[in-house]
């Protein structure tokens, strides 16, 4: 497999070179060999970087991604992923409920024609909405 410079790997992975340096510094990517003072990466790291990006996009934190990649030596990767994905999904469902509630409050406020907070509060108490 060919070796790539940091710029080449970053371009193929669609990330900034600083992102690769950061991933390396926190252990998400292995420390690389250097040739003539330059980092040289195996092209096989593209799969790992893609996984990291997908995990971040799904809401996993860096420490959680680290566990997904290396955290349970005795648990197969697929089982580890399933366990953590179920937990993350439950967390996201709770966030979704909170966001929907916040949106509803804002929508009610945008539809409110009251002139004072007390008038609005009284309407909410009696009818459940200010509209």
């Amino acid at each position: 497999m060919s070796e790539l410079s940091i710029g080449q790997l970053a371009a193929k992975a669609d990330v900034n070179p600083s992102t690769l340096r950061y991933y390396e510094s926190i252990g998400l990517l292995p420390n690389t060999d250097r040739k003539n003072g330059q980092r040289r990466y195996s092209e096989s790291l593209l799969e790992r970087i893609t996984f990291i990006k997908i995990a971040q996009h799904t809401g996993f934190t860096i420490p959680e991604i680290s566990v997904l990649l290396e955290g349970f030596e005795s648990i197969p990767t697929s089982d580890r992923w399933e366990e953590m994905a179920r937990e993350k999904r439950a967390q996201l469902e709770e966030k979704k409920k909170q966001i929907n509630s916040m949106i509803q409050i804002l929508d009610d406020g945008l539809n409110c024609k009251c002139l004072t907070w007390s008038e609005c509060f009284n309407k909410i108490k009696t009818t459940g909405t200010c509209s």
Side-chain angles (χ1 to χ4, degrees):
M1 189 144 293
S2 63
E3 289 187 334
L4 304 172
S5 70
I6 192 167
Q8 291 169 322
L9 182 63
K12 284 185 178 232
D14 195 26
V15 297
N16 291 319
S18 60
T19 300
L20 298 179
R21 285 190 288 275
Y22 174 67
Y23 288 168
E24 189 178 334
S25 75
I26 60 173
L28 291 181
L29 292 180
N31 289 329
T32 63
D33 293 329
R34 292 177 186 255
K35 291 187 179 161
N36 297 324
Q38 293 184 339
R39 289 176 167 90
R40 303 306 290 180
Y41 294 92
S42 168
E43 194 167 358
S44 66
L45 287 176
L46 280 171
E47 185 176 310
R48 187 176 183 102
I49 296 164
T50 300
F51 176 82
I52 293 167
K53 288 169 58 177
I54 290 169
Q56 285 179 314
H57 185 73
T58 346
F60 285 98
T61 63
I62 295 294
E64 290 170 332
I65 294 169
S66 182
V67 169
L68 282 168
L69 290 169
E70 308 291 341
F72 303 108
E73 292 180 17
S74 62
I75 299 175
T77 302
S78 60
D79 292 344
R80 184 181 333 155
W81 167 253
E82 184 176 341
E83 177 184 330
M84 292 185 74
R86 286 184 193 281
E87 185 178 317
K88 182 58 67 180
R89 190 180 190 296
Q91 291 171 1
L92 292 173
E93 284 292 338
E94 184 57 36
K95 276 187 179 184
K96 181 179 168 184
K97 287 178 189 175
Q98 292 171 348
I99 289 170
N100 286 339
S101 175
M102 294 163 66
I103 289 170
Q104 185 61 53
I105 291 168
L106 290 172
D107 286 347
D108 287 348
L110 289 168
N111 293 324
C112 179
K113 303 301 179 215
C114 298
L115 298 176
T116 65
W117 285 110
S118 58
E119 181 185 353
C120 186
F121 179 68
N122 288 332
K123 275 188 182 179
I124 291 171
K125 268 180 34 181
T126 58
T127 67
T129 183
C130 188
S131 308

